[in-house]
Amino acid sequence: MTRGAEAATARAGAHGAGTPPRQKVVLYNPHALFYTMPLALLAIGSHLDRERFEVVIVDARLEADPHGALAAALDHALCVGVTVLTGAPIRDALDASRMAKRLHPTLPIVWGGWHPSMFGRECLVDPAIDVTVQGQGEETFADLVDRFARGVSLDGCAGITFRDGAGTTVANPPRPVRPVDAFAPHDYSLIPVERYFALKGKRQLDYISSQGCNFRCAFCADPFVYERQWVGLSPGRMVDELASLWERHRFDDVNFQDETFFTRAGRVEAIAQGFVDARLPITWAGTMRADQGVRLPEPSLALCRRSGLRRALIGVESGSDEMLRRIKKDTRIAQVFESAEKIHRHGISGNFPFIVGFPGESDDSVQASLDAAKRLRGISPDFQTPFFYFKPYPGTEITEAVVKDGFSTAQTLDEWAAFDFVGNVGGPWVSDEKFARIERFKYFQQVAWDRAPLWRRPLQQIARWRCAGDRYSLPLEMWIDRALWPAPRLS
Ligand code: B12
Ligand code: SF4
Protein backbone atom coordinates (compact mmCIF):
# COMPACT_ATOMS: atom_id res chain seq x y z
CA MET A 1 0.00 0.00 0.00
CA THR A 2 1.30 3.49 -0.81
CA ARG A 3 2.12 6.10 1.77
CA GLY A 4 -0.74 8.29 0.50
CA ALA A 5 -3.22 5.42 0.67
CA GLU A 6 -2.01 4.41 4.15
CA ALA A 7 -2.44 7.97 5.30
CA ALA A 8 -5.93 8.22 3.90
CA THR A 9 -6.99 4.95 5.54
CA ALA A 10 -5.65 6.08 8.90
CA ARG A 11 -7.57 9.35 8.57
CA ALA A 12 -10.83 7.67 7.55
CA GLY A 13 -10.55 5.37 10.63
CA ALA A 14 -9.70 8.22 13.00
CA HIS A 15 -13.11 9.85 12.73
CA GLY A 16 -15.05 6.74 13.82
CA ALA A 17 -18.76 7.23 14.56
CA GLY A 18 -18.43 11.00 14.11
CA THR A 19 -17.19 10.63 10.53
CA PRO A 20 -18.48 13.54 8.49
CA PRO A 21 -20.70 12.45 5.61
CA ARG A 22 -18.33 13.92 3.04
CA GLN A 23 -14.55 13.82 3.12
CA LYS A 24 -12.73 17.08 2.62
CA VAL A 25 -10.41 17.66 -0.33
CA VAL A 26 -8.35 20.84 -0.06
CA LEU A 27 -7.05 22.55 -3.21
CA TYR A 28 -4.41 25.28 -3.15
CA ASN A 29 -3.57 27.94 -5.76
CA PRO A 30 -0.14 29.46 -5.03
CA HIS A 31 0.52 33.15 -4.97
CA ALA A 32 0.79 34.69 -8.47
CA LEU A 33 0.52 37.98 -10.28
CA PHE A 34 -2.97 38.76 -11.61
CA TYR A 35 -6.34 37.54 -10.44
CA THR A 36 -7.32 35.07 -13.14
CA MET A 37 -9.82 32.69 -11.57
CA PRO A 38 -8.26 29.36 -10.51
CA LEU A 39 -9.71 27.41 -13.45
CA ALA A 40 -7.50 24.35 -13.00
CA LEU A 41 -8.75 23.86 -9.43
CA LEU A 42 -12.33 24.50 -10.54
CA ALA A 43 -11.87 21.81 -13.20
CA ILE A 44 -10.55 19.10 -10.91
CA GLY A 45 -12.70 20.08 -7.91
CA SER A 46 -15.93 20.14 -9.93
CA HIS A 47 -15.28 16.70 -11.38
CA LEU A 48 -15.08 14.98 -7.97
CA ASP A 49 -18.12 13.09 -6.71
CA ARG A 50 -19.62 15.87 -4.62
CA GLU A 51 -21.86 13.48 -2.69
CA ARG A 52 -18.72 11.92 -1.27
CA PHE A 53 -16.29 14.83 -1.20
CA GLU A 54 -16.40 18.36 0.08
CA VAL A 55 -14.09 20.61 -1.99
CA VAL A 56 -12.35 23.55 -0.32
CA ILE A 57 -10.29 25.90 -2.51
CA VAL A 58 -7.69 28.12 -0.84
CA ASP A 59 -6.34 30.75 -3.24
CA ALA A 60 -3.19 32.40 -1.88
CA ARG A 61 -3.97 35.50 -3.94
CA LEU A 62 -7.11 36.16 -1.90
CA GLU A 63 -5.70 35.60 1.57
CA ALA A 64 -3.85 37.98 3.87
CA ASP A 65 -2.27 34.90 5.45
CA PRO A 66 -2.40 32.15 2.79
CA HIS A 67 -0.57 29.51 4.80
CA GLY A 68 -2.70 30.22 7.86
CA ALA A 69 -5.82 29.79 5.70
CA LEU A 70 -4.44 26.54 4.28
CA ALA A 71 -3.50 25.23 7.72
CA ALA A 72 -7.01 26.00 8.99
CA ALA A 73 -8.55 24.09 6.07
CA LEU A 74 -6.44 20.97 6.63
CA ASP A 75 -8.22 19.54 9.68
CA HIS A 76 -9.84 16.21 8.74
CA ALA A 77 -8.76 16.63 5.12
CA LEU A 78 -8.35 13.55 2.95
CA CYS A 79 -5.64 15.08 0.75
CA VAL A 80 -4.32 18.36 -0.65
CA GLY A 81 -4.03 19.23 -4.35
CA VAL A 82 -1.75 22.05 -5.48
CA THR A 83 -1.66 23.57 -8.97
CA VAL A 84 1.86 24.48 -10.07
CA LEU A 85 3.22 26.61 -12.94
CA THR A 86 6.94 26.83 -13.67
CA GLY A 87 8.76 29.75 -12.08
CA ALA A 88 7.84 31.93 -9.14
CA PRO A 89 4.61 30.05 -8.22
CA ILE A 90 6.77 27.01 -7.30
CA ARG A 91 8.19 28.96 -4.35
CA ASP A 92 4.82 29.31 -2.65
CA ALA A 93 3.66 25.86 -3.78
CA LEU A 94 6.73 24.36 -2.10
CA ASP A 95 6.46 26.43 1.09
CA ALA A 96 2.75 25.66 1.42
CA SER A 97 3.27 21.93 0.77
CA ARG A 98 6.14 21.75 3.27
CA MET A 99 4.03 23.52 5.86
CA ALA A 100 1.10 21.13 5.26
CA LYS A 101 3.43 18.12 5.53
CA ARG A 102 4.93 19.43 8.74
CA LEU A 103 1.49 19.85 10.32
CA HIS A 104 0.04 16.59 8.95
CA PRO A 105 2.88 14.22 8.06
CA THR A 106 0.54 11.52 6.74
CA LEU A 107 -1.66 13.78 4.61
CA PRO A 108 -1.13 12.98 0.89
CA ILE A 109 -0.01 16.00 -1.09
CA VAL A 110 -0.66 15.97 -4.84
CA TRP A 111 0.89 18.37 -7.34
CA GLY A 112 -0.64 18.89 -10.77
CA GLY A 113 -0.45 21.44 -13.57
CA TRP A 114 2.21 22.44 -16.10
CA HIS A 115 5.39 21.99 -14.05
CA PRO A 116 4.58 18.56 -12.56
CA SER A 117 3.29 17.50 -15.99
CA MET A 118 6.83 17.92 -17.30
CA PHE A 119 8.78 17.06 -14.15
CA GLY A 120 6.63 14.43 -12.46
CA ARG A 121 9.60 12.49 -11.13
CA GLU A 122 11.82 15.45 -10.24
CA CYS A 123 9.12 17.11 -8.11
CA LEU A 124 8.92 13.98 -5.96
CA VAL A 125 12.50 14.47 -4.80
CA ASP A 126 10.99 16.86 -2.27
CA PRO A 127 9.56 14.74 0.57
CA ALA A 128 6.61 17.13 0.96
CA ILE A 129 5.14 15.94 -2.35
CA ASP A 130 3.65 12.46 -2.55
CA VAL A 131 2.06 12.29 -6.00
CA THR A 132 2.35 14.28 -9.23
CA VAL A 133 -0.27 14.30 -11.97
CA GLN A 134 0.69 14.54 -15.63
CA GLY A 135 -1.54 16.35 -18.15
CA GLN A 136 -5.33 16.60 -17.96
CA GLY A 137 -6.32 16.28 -14.32
CA GLU A 138 -10.08 15.74 -14.04
CA GLU A 139 -10.26 11.94 -14.25
CA THR A 140 -6.84 11.30 -12.77
CA PHE A 141 -7.59 13.33 -9.66
CA ALA A 142 -11.04 11.75 -9.25
CA ASP A 143 -9.40 8.32 -9.49
CA LEU A 144 -6.69 9.33 -6.98
CA VAL A 145 -9.11 10.79 -4.43
CA ASP A 146 -11.33 7.73 -4.71
CA ARG A 147 -8.31 5.52 -4.00
CA PHE A 148 -7.31 7.67 -1.02
CA ALA A 149 -10.85 7.43 0.33
CA ARG A 150 -10.98 3.67 -0.08
CA GLY A 151 -7.40 3.24 1.14
CA VAL A 152 -6.30 1.27 -1.90
CA SER A 153 -3.04 1.20 -3.82
CA LEU A 154 -2.11 3.79 -6.44
CA ASP A 155 -0.73 1.05 -8.70
CA GLY A 156 -2.38 1.33 -12.09
CA CYS A 157 -3.78 4.82 -11.53
CA ALA A 158 -3.00 6.22 -15.00
CA GLY A 159 -1.46 9.68 -15.38
CA ILE A 160 0.46 9.87 -12.08
CA THR A 161 3.97 9.50 -10.71
CA PHE A 162 4.25 8.60 -7.03
CA ARG A 163 6.50 7.31 -4.32
CA ASP A 164 5.42 3.82 -3.26
CA GLY A 165 5.53 2.36 0.27
CA ALA A 166 9.19 1.33 -0.21
CA GLY A 167 10.12 4.88 -1.24
CA THR A 168 10.61 4.00 -4.92
CA THR A 169 9.37 6.52 -7.47
CA VAL A 170 6.90 4.88 -9.85
CA ALA A 171 5.67 6.50 -13.07
CA ASN A 172 2.36 4.98 -14.13
CA PRO A 173 1.36 4.96 -17.82
CA PRO A 174 -0.14 8.23 -19.11
CA ARG A 175 -3.90 8.74 -19.24
CA PRO A 176 -5.20 9.46 -22.74
CA VAL A 177 -6.62 12.96 -23.27
CA ARG A 178 -10.43 12.82 -22.92
CA PRO A 179 -12.95 15.11 -24.63
CA VAL A 180 -13.78 17.92 -22.22
CA ASP A 181 -17.52 17.39 -22.73
CA ALA A 182 -17.03 14.23 -20.64
CA PHE A 183 -16.20 16.34 -17.58
CA ALA A 184 -18.50 18.04 -15.07
CA PRO A 185 -19.25 21.73 -15.63
CA HIS A 186 -17.05 24.02 -13.59
CA ASP A 187 -18.83 24.81 -10.36
CA TYR A 188 -18.08 28.49 -9.75
CA SER A 189 -19.77 28.31 -6.36
CA LEU A 190 -16.47 26.77 -5.19
CA ILE A 191 -14.86 30.21 -5.44
CA PRO A 192 -15.87 33.69 -4.24
CA VAL A 193 -16.55 35.06 -7.72
CA GLU A 194 -17.35 38.57 -6.43
CA ARG A 195 -13.93 38.81 -4.76
CA TYR A 196 -12.20 38.13 -8.07
CA PHE A 197 -14.36 40.79 -9.76
CA ALA A 198 -13.39 43.25 -7.02
CA LEU A 199 -9.68 42.43 -7.23
CA LYS A 200 -9.67 42.64 -11.03
CA GLY A 201 -11.61 45.91 -10.87
CA LYS A 202 -14.11 44.61 -13.43
CA ARG A 203 -16.94 42.09 -13.63
CA GLN A 204 -14.94 39.77 -15.84
CA LEU A 205 -15.44 36.02 -15.73
CA ASP A 206 -12.56 33.72 -16.65
CA TYR A 207 -13.66 30.67 -18.55
CA ILE A 208 -11.87 27.88 -20.37
CA SER A 209 -13.60 26.17 -23.27
CA SER A 210 -10.85 23.87 -24.53
CA GLN A 211 -7.60 22.18 -23.60
CA GLY A 212 -4.46 21.64 -25.67
CA CYS A 213 -3.47 22.91 -29.09
CA ASN A 214 -2.84 21.32 -32.49
CA PHE A 215 0.22 23.43 -33.31
CA ARG A 216 3.92 22.84 -32.70
CA CYS A 217 5.60 26.12 -31.70
CA ALA A 218 9.15 25.37 -30.57
CA PHE A 219 9.02 27.83 -27.62
CA CYS A 220 5.80 26.46 -26.11
CA ALA A 221 5.20 23.56 -23.72
CA ASP A 222 1.76 22.74 -25.05
CA PRO A 223 2.92 20.35 -27.81
CA PHE A 224 4.82 18.39 -25.15
CA VAL A 225 2.05 18.26 -22.54
CA TYR A 226 -0.95 17.73 -24.86
CA GLU A 227 0.94 16.09 -27.77
CA ARG A 228 -0.72 18.45 -30.25
CA GLN A 229 -4.21 17.31 -29.31
CA TRP A 230 -7.07 19.76 -28.83
CA VAL A 231 -10.39 19.08 -27.11
CA GLY A 232 -13.17 21.66 -26.87
CA LEU A 233 -16.57 21.95 -25.24
CA SER A 234 -19.57 21.73 -27.56
CA PRO A 235 -21.04 25.16 -28.36
CA GLY A 236 -24.48 24.29 -26.97
CA ARG A 237 -23.09 23.28 -23.61
CA MET A 238 -20.90 26.38 -23.43
CA VAL A 239 -23.71 28.77 -24.23
CA ASP A 240 -26.03 27.12 -21.68
CA GLU A 241 -23.31 27.20 -19.01
CA LEU A 242 -22.39 30.82 -19.65
CA ALA A 243 -26.05 31.89 -19.75
CA SER A 244 -26.70 30.27 -16.39
CA LEU A 245 -23.47 31.69 -14.94
CA TRP A 246 -24.56 35.13 -16.17
CA GLU A 247 -27.91 34.74 -14.38
CA ARG A 248 -25.98 34.15 -11.17
CA HIS A 249 -23.04 36.52 -11.49
CA ARG A 250 -24.07 39.26 -13.95
CA PHE A 251 -20.59 39.67 -15.42
CA ASP A 252 -19.93 42.16 -18.24
CA ASP A 253 -17.12 40.32 -19.94
CA VAL A 254 -15.76 36.81 -20.46
CA ASN A 255 -12.02 36.26 -20.82
CA PHE A 256 -11.52 32.93 -22.58
CA GLN A 257 -8.28 31.46 -21.27
CA ASP A 258 -7.98 28.86 -24.05
CA GLU A 259 -4.61 28.35 -25.71
CA THR A 260 -6.24 28.84 -29.13
CA PHE A 261 -9.91 29.75 -28.85
CA PHE A 262 -10.37 30.04 -32.63
CA THR A 263 -9.15 26.47 -33.31
CA ARG A 264 -12.39 25.38 -35.05
CA ALA A 265 -14.04 28.19 -37.01
CA GLY A 266 -17.42 26.41 -37.19
CA ARG A 267 -17.45 25.95 -33.43
CA VAL A 268 -16.65 29.60 -32.79
CA GLU A 269 -19.45 30.65 -35.17
CA ALA A 270 -21.91 28.41 -33.31
CA ILE A 271 -20.80 29.86 -29.97
CA ALA A 272 -21.18 33.43 -31.26
CA GLN A 273 -24.63 32.63 -32.70
CA GLY A 274 -25.54 31.07 -29.34
CA PHE A 275 -24.55 34.26 -27.48
CA VAL A 276 -26.63 36.34 -29.89
CA ASP A 277 -29.67 34.02 -29.63
CA ALA A 278 -29.42 33.96 -25.83
CA ARG A 279 -29.15 37.79 -25.89
CA LEU A 280 -26.22 37.61 -23.51
CA PRO A 281 -25.27 41.23 -22.75
CA ILE A 282 -21.54 40.52 -22.59
CA THR A 283 -18.31 41.26 -24.36
CA TRP A 284 -15.62 38.64 -24.73
CA ALA A 285 -11.97 38.16 -25.63
CA GLY A 286 -10.16 35.13 -27.01
CA THR A 287 -6.93 33.85 -28.52
CA MET A 288 -6.62 33.61 -32.31
CA ARG A 289 -3.67 32.58 -34.47
CA ALA A 290 -2.86 34.86 -37.40
CA ASP A 291 -3.55 32.09 -39.92
CA GLN A 292 -6.91 31.39 -38.27
CA GLY A 293 -7.78 35.08 -38.54
CA VAL A 294 -6.96 35.04 -42.25
CA ARG A 295 -9.09 31.95 -42.87
CA LEU A 296 -12.07 33.10 -40.80
CA PRO A 297 -14.80 34.26 -43.22
CA GLU A 298 -15.76 37.96 -42.91
CA PRO A 299 -19.41 37.14 -42.02
CA SER A 300 -18.18 34.90 -39.18
CA LEU A 301 -16.03 37.68 -37.80
CA ALA A 302 -18.98 40.06 -38.09
CA LEU A 303 -21.08 37.55 -36.13
CA CYS A 304 -18.36 37.29 -33.47
CA ARG A 305 -18.33 41.07 -33.19
CA ARG A 306 -22.15 41.14 -32.88
CA SER A 307 -21.95 38.53 -30.15
CA GLY A 308 -19.54 40.74 -28.16
CA LEU A 309 -16.00 39.92 -29.35
CA ARG A 310 -14.06 42.97 -28.18
CA ARG A 311 -10.47 41.80 -28.41
CA ALA A 312 -8.45 39.09 -30.13
CA LEU A 313 -5.08 38.02 -28.78
CA ILE A 314 -2.88 37.12 -31.73
CA GLY A 315 0.61 35.87 -30.80
CA VAL A 316 2.97 37.43 -33.36
CA GLU A 317 6.17 36.27 -31.64
CA SER A 318 8.46 37.71 -34.35
CA GLY A 319 8.37 40.21 -37.19
CA SER A 320 10.86 38.11 -39.15
CA ASP A 321 9.57 35.31 -41.36
CA GLU A 322 12.89 33.54 -40.98
CA MET A 323 12.53 33.54 -37.20
CA LEU A 324 8.88 32.44 -37.47
CA ARG A 325 10.11 29.46 -39.47
CA ARG A 326 12.82 28.69 -36.91
CA ILE A 327 10.39 28.71 -34.01
CA LYS A 328 7.88 26.64 -36.03
CA LYS A 329 5.09 29.14 -35.53
CA ASP A 330 3.68 28.12 -38.91
CA THR A 331 2.40 31.63 -39.58
CA ARG A 332 3.83 34.45 -41.68
CA ILE A 333 4.12 38.10 -40.73
CA ALA A 334 1.89 39.03 -43.71
CA GLN A 335 -0.86 36.94 -42.11
CA VAL A 336 -0.52 38.95 -38.91
CA PHE A 337 -1.11 42.20 -40.79
CA GLU A 338 -3.99 40.69 -42.76
CA SER A 339 -5.69 39.50 -39.57
CA ALA A 340 -5.00 42.84 -37.91
CA GLU A 341 -6.61 44.81 -40.75
CA LYS A 342 -9.52 42.41 -40.71
CA ILE A 343 -10.31 42.66 -37.01
CA HIS A 344 -9.80 46.44 -37.21
CA ARG A 345 -12.43 46.67 -39.97
CA HIS A 346 -14.86 44.97 -37.60
CA GLY A 347 -14.05 47.30 -34.70
CA ILE A 348 -12.28 44.60 -32.68
CA SER A 349 -9.20 45.54 -30.69
CA GLY A 350 -6.05 43.43 -30.68
CA ASN A 351 -3.27 42.28 -28.43
CA PHE A 352 -0.21 41.21 -30.45
CA PRO A 353 2.53 39.87 -28.17
CA PHE A 354 6.11 39.52 -29.41
CA ILE A 355 8.99 37.45 -28.03
CA VAL A 356 12.55 38.72 -28.48
CA GLY A 357 15.87 37.22 -27.45
CA PHE A 358 15.54 33.75 -28.95
CA PRO A 359 18.88 31.92 -28.81
CA GLY A 360 21.12 33.37 -31.52
CA GLU A 361 18.53 35.93 -32.65
CA SER A 362 20.16 38.52 -34.92
CA ASP A 363 19.83 42.28 -34.60
CA ASP A 364 17.96 42.30 -37.93
CA SER A 365 15.41 39.88 -36.56
CA VAL A 366 14.83 42.03 -33.45
CA GLN A 367 14.54 45.11 -35.69
CA ALA A 368 11.95 43.29 -37.83
CA SER A 369 9.88 42.79 -34.67
CA LEU A 370 10.16 46.46 -33.69
CA ASP A 371 9.10 47.43 -37.23
CA ALA A 372 6.15 45.04 -37.20
CA ALA A 373 5.02 46.42 -33.84
CA LYS A 374 5.19 49.99 -35.17
CA ARG A 375 3.10 49.04 -38.18
CA LEU A 376 0.49 47.32 -35.98
CA ARG A 377 0.33 50.25 -33.60
CA GLY A 378 -0.15 52.55 -36.57
CA ILE A 379 -3.31 50.63 -37.55
CA SER A 380 -5.17 51.31 -34.30
CA PRO A 381 -4.57 52.88 -30.89
CA ASP A 382 -6.54 49.88 -29.60
CA PHE A 383 -3.83 47.48 -30.71
CA GLN A 384 -1.28 46.59 -28.03
CA THR A 385 2.12 45.09 -28.83
CA PRO A 386 3.71 43.83 -25.59
CA PHE A 387 7.29 42.55 -25.82
CA PHE A 388 8.50 39.59 -23.75
CA TYR A 389 11.99 38.13 -23.54
CA PHE A 390 12.42 34.50 -24.48
CA LYS A 391 12.81 32.31 -21.43
CA PRO A 392 13.94 28.72 -21.81
CA TYR A 393 10.81 27.19 -20.30
CA PRO A 394 11.01 23.45 -19.89
CA GLY A 395 9.24 21.08 -22.23
CA THR A 396 9.93 23.19 -25.33
CA GLU A 397 11.91 22.23 -28.40
CA ILE A 398 14.16 25.31 -28.21
CA THR A 399 15.02 24.63 -24.57
CA GLU A 400 15.84 21.01 -25.35
CA ALA A 401 18.11 22.16 -28.19
CA VAL A 402 20.03 24.71 -26.09
CA VAL A 403 20.41 22.20 -23.25
CA LYS A 404 21.89 19.75 -25.77
CA ASP A 405 24.32 22.51 -26.75
CA GLY A 406 25.47 22.89 -23.16
CA PHE A 407 23.09 25.49 -21.69
CA SER A 408 22.45 24.53 -18.09
CA THR A 409 18.93 25.02 -16.90
CA ALA A 410 17.45 24.73 -13.40
CA GLN A 411 17.58 21.27 -11.83
CA THR A 412 15.95 21.39 -8.42
CA LEU A 413 12.54 22.73 -7.48
CA ASP A 414 14.19 25.56 -5.56
CA GLU A 415 16.12 26.50 -8.71
CA TRP A 416 12.98 26.33 -10.87
CA ALA A 417 11.24 28.57 -8.32
CA ALA A 418 13.91 31.21 -8.94
CA PHE A 419 13.78 30.69 -12.70
CA ASP A 420 11.70 33.75 -13.68
CA PHE A 421 14.13 36.46 -14.60
CA VAL A 422 11.89 39.38 -13.94
CA GLY A 423 13.98 42.51 -13.54
CA ASN A 424 16.71 44.30 -15.39
CA VAL A 425 17.66 41.45 -17.64
CA GLY A 426 16.50 40.20 -20.99
CA GLY A 427 17.73 36.64 -20.62
CA PRO A 428 20.85 34.76 -21.65
CA TRP A 429 20.59 35.72 -25.34
CA VAL A 430 20.05 39.47 -25.00
CA SER A 431 23.05 41.76 -24.56
CA ASP A 432 22.73 44.71 -22.18
CA GLU A 433 22.79 47.02 -25.17
CA LYS A 434 19.99 45.17 -26.97
CA PHE A 435 18.00 45.04 -23.72
CA ALA A 436 18.27 48.82 -23.28
CA ARG A 437 17.18 49.41 -26.87
CA ILE A 438 14.16 47.10 -26.58
CA GLU A 439 13.14 48.56 -23.22
CA ARG A 440 13.28 52.06 -24.68
CA PHE A 441 11.26 50.98 -27.69
CA LYS A 442 8.67 49.39 -25.36
CA TYR A 443 8.30 52.72 -23.60
CA PHE A 444 8.26 54.96 -26.67
CA GLN A 445 5.81 52.84 -28.68
CA GLN A 446 3.36 53.08 -25.81
CA VAL A 447 3.68 56.84 -25.52
CA ALA A 448 3.53 57.19 -29.31
CA TRP A 449 0.35 55.26 -29.96
CA ASP A 450 -1.66 54.79 -26.76
CA ARG A 451 -4.66 57.08 -26.50
CA ALA A 452 -3.30 60.16 -24.68
CA PRO A 453 -4.86 63.16 -22.94
CA LEU A 454 -4.26 66.55 -24.60
CA TRP A 455 -1.41 67.51 -22.28
CA ARG A 456 0.62 64.47 -23.33
CA ARG A 457 0.22 65.09 -27.08
CA PRO A 458 3.59 66.90 -27.48
CA LEU A 459 5.30 63.95 -25.78
CA GLN A 460 3.39 61.66 -28.12
CA GLN A 461 4.71 63.51 -31.18
CA ILE A 462 8.28 63.25 -29.91
CA ALA A 463 7.81 59.54 -29.24
CA ARG A 464 6.48 58.98 -32.78
CA TRP A 465 9.49 60.81 -34.19
CA ARG A 466 11.79 58.62 -32.08
CA CYS A 467 10.09 55.39 -33.18
CA ALA A 468 9.95 56.39 -36.85
CA GLY A 469 13.73 56.79 -37.01
CA ASP A 470 14.61 54.34 -34.23
CA ARG A 471 16.14 57.20 -32.26
CA TYR A 472 16.26 55.83 -28.73
CA SER A 473 19.43 57.40 -27.35
CA LEU A 474 19.30 59.80 -24.37
CA PRO A 475 15.69 59.00 -23.47
CA LEU A 476 15.23 61.97 -21.15
CA GLU A 477 11.42 61.92 -21.32
CA MET A 478 11.45 58.25 -20.37
CA TRP A 479 13.72 58.79 -17.36
CA ILE A 480 11.58 61.65 -16.07
CA ASP A 481 8.32 59.81 -16.74
CA ARG A 482 9.59 56.63 -15.06
CA ALA A 483 10.89 58.60 -12.07
CA LEU A 484 7.48 60.20 -11.64
CA TRP A 485 5.37 57.13 -12.43
CA PRO A 486 7.41 53.92 -11.98
CA ALA A 487 6.16 51.21 -14.34
CA PRO A 488 5.27 47.80 -12.90
CA ARG A 489 7.65 45.14 -14.20
CA LEU A 490 5.83 42.04 -15.32
CA SER A 491 8.32 40.39 -17.61
C1 B12 B 1 -4.40 31.84 -16.42
C2 B12 B 1 -2.95 31.61 -16.77
C3 B12 B 1 -2.01 32.20 -15.95
C4 B12 B 1 -2.33 32.93 -14.66
C5 B12 B 1 -2.33 31.90 -13.51
C6 B12 B 1 -3.43 32.21 -12.54
C7 B12 B 1 -3.44 31.22 -11.42
N1 B12 B 1 -4.43 30.38 -11.34
O1 B12 B 1 -2.55 31.25 -10.60
C8 B12 B 1 -1.18 33.94 -14.55
C9 B12 B 1 -1.56 35.19 -15.30
C10 B12 B 1 -0.71 34.29 -13.16
C11 B12 B 1 -0.12 33.20 -15.37
C12 B12 B 1 1.21 33.45 -15.26
C13 B12 B 1 2.14 32.85 -16.09
N2 B12 B 1 1.94 31.99 -17.08
CO1 B12 B 1 0.23 31.28 -17.51
N3 B12 B 1 -1.33 30.65 -18.24
C14 B12 B 1 -2.56 30.82 -17.89
C15 B12 B 1 -3.46 30.12 -18.92
C16 B12 B 1 -3.86 31.13 -19.99
C17 B12 B 1 -4.71 29.45 -18.39
C18 B12 B 1 -4.46 28.48 -17.21
C19 B12 B 1 -5.73 27.79 -16.88
O2 B12 B 1 -6.43 28.16 -15.97
N4 B12 B 1 -6.10 26.75 -17.67
C20 B12 B 1 -7.30 26.03 -17.50
C21 B12 B 1 -7.08 24.73 -16.73
C22 B12 B 1 -8.37 23.93 -16.69
O3 B12 B 1 -6.10 23.98 -17.43
P1 B12 B 1 -4.69 23.62 -16.74
O4 B12 B 1 -4.18 24.76 -15.98
O5 B12 B 1 -3.84 23.03 -17.78
O6 B12 B 1 -5.12 22.51 -15.71
C23 B12 B 1 -5.35 21.17 -16.09
C24 B12 B 1 -4.12 20.27 -15.88
O7 B12 B 1 -2.90 20.98 -16.00
C25 B12 B 1 -4.33 19.69 -14.53
N5 B12 B 1 -3.98 20.42 -13.33
C26 B12 B 1 -3.67 21.69 -13.15
N6 B12 B 1 -3.47 21.95 -11.84
C27 B12 B 1 -3.67 20.82 -11.17
C28 B12 B 1 -3.58 20.52 -9.82
C29 B12 B 1 -3.83 19.22 -9.39
C30 B12 B 1 -3.76 18.89 -7.94
C31 B12 B 1 -4.17 18.21 -10.34
C32 B12 B 1 -4.43 16.85 -9.89
C33 B12 B 1 -4.25 18.51 -11.70
C34 B12 B 1 -4.01 19.81 -12.10
O8 B12 B 1 -5.74 19.50 -14.51
C35 B12 B 1 -6.37 20.62 -15.12
C36 B12 B 1 -7.63 20.13 -15.81
O9 B12 B 1 -7.35 19.21 -16.82
C37 B12 B 1 -2.47 29.05 -19.48
C38 B12 B 1 -2.79 28.54 -20.85
C39 B12 B 1 -3.88 27.47 -20.78
N7 B12 B 1 -4.89 27.62 -21.57
O10 B12 B 1 -3.85 26.57 -19.96
C40 B12 B 1 -1.14 29.77 -19.39
C41 B12 B 1 0.12 28.95 -19.09
C42 B12 B 1 -0.19 27.98 -18.00
N8 B12 B 1 1.03 29.97 -18.59
C43 B12 B 1 2.24 29.84 -18.98
C44 B12 B 1 3.26 30.79 -18.74
C45 B12 B 1 4.51 30.67 -19.57
C46 B12 B 1 3.06 31.78 -17.81
C47 B12 B 1 4.07 32.84 -17.38
C48 B12 B 1 5.51 32.47 -17.36
C49 B12 B 1 3.88 34.06 -18.24
C50 B12 B 1 4.87 35.16 -18.01
N9 B12 B 1 5.60 35.50 -19.04
O11 B12 B 1 4.97 35.69 -16.94
C51 B12 B 1 3.60 33.11 -15.95
C52 B12 B 1 4.20 31.96 -15.09
C53 B12 B 1 3.83 32.06 -13.73
C54 B12 B 1 4.89 32.84 -13.06
N10 B12 B 1 6.09 32.37 -13.21
O12 B12 B 1 4.57 33.82 -12.43
C55 B12 B 1 2.43 28.56 -19.79
C56 B12 B 1 2.93 27.37 -18.98
C57 B12 B 1 4.32 27.55 -18.45
C58 B12 B 1 4.73 26.55 -17.41
N11 B12 B 1 5.71 25.72 -17.74
O13 B12 B 1 4.24 26.51 -16.32
C59 B12 B 1 0.95 28.35 -20.28
C60 B12 B 1 0.60 26.91 -20.58
C61 B12 B 1 0.82 29.19 -21.56
C62 B12 B 1 1.70 28.68 -22.68
N12 B12 B 1 1.20 27.89 -23.61
O14 B12 B 1 2.87 28.99 -22.71
N13 B12 B 1 -0.69 32.28 -16.22
S1 SF4 C 1 2.21 29.04 -28.84
FE1 SF4 C 1 0.01 28.90 -29.06
S2 SF4 C 1 -0.28 28.08 -31.12
FE2 SF4 C 1 1.83 27.66 -30.59
S3 SF4 C 1 1.79 25.57 -29.72
FE3 SF4 C 1 1.63 27.03 -28.00
S4 SF4 C 1 -0.57 27.23 -27.64
FE4 SF4 C 1 -0.30 26.34 -29.70
Side-chain angles (χ1 to χ4, degrees), residues 107-174:
L107 183 69
I109 296 183
V110 182
W111 275 26
W114 288 83
H115 196 79
S117 290
M118 293 178 279
F119 293 104
R121 225 171 234 287
E122 293 78 353
C123 290
L124 291 174
V125 168
D126 196 287
I129 304 150
D130 299 302
V131 184
T132 59
V133 169
Q134 283 71 59
Q136 226 181 22
E138 288 86 344
E139 284 194 339
T140 309
F141 193 58
D143 188 352
L144 258 179
V145 168
D146 174 61
R147 286 169 190 251
F148 289 152
R150 292 188 295 121
V152 299
S153 159
L154 301 187
D155 293 337
C157 175
I160 66 162
T161 305
F162 68 107
R163 233 177 294 103
D164 69 9
T168 309
T169 301
V170 181
N172 284 351

Side-chain angles (χ1 to χ4, degrees), residues 387 389 437-446 491:
F387 273 66
Y389 295 98
R437 180 177 166 81
I438 295 165
E439 286 299 294
R440 288 173 189 185
F441 171 75
K442 278 164 72 169
Y443 169 80
F444 285 116
Q445 60 95 15
Q446 259 181 331
S491 146

Side-chain angles (χ1 to χ4, degrees), residues 213 215-217 219-220 222-223 259-260 289 317 329:
C213 172
F215 294 89
R216 56 165 190 161
C217 306
F219 57 88
C220 177
D222 205 295
E259 291 279 49
T260 35
R289 283 173 49 96
E317 327 306 356
K329 182 73 191 178

Side-chain angles (χ1 to χ4, degrees), residues 31 117 213 217 297 313 321 374 388 420-421:
H31 180 72
S117 290
C213 172
C217 306
L313 187 146
D321 275 332
K374 288 186 236 171
F388 299 97
D420 284 342
F421 32 88

Side-chain angles (χ1 to χ4, degrees), residues 29 33 83 85-86 89 112-114 137-138 211 257 259 393 420:
N29 192 98
L33 294 172
T83 185
L85 290 179
T86 302
W114 288 83
E138 288 86 344
Q211 293 177 356
Q257 296 291 340
E259 291 279 49
Y393 275 99
D420 284 342

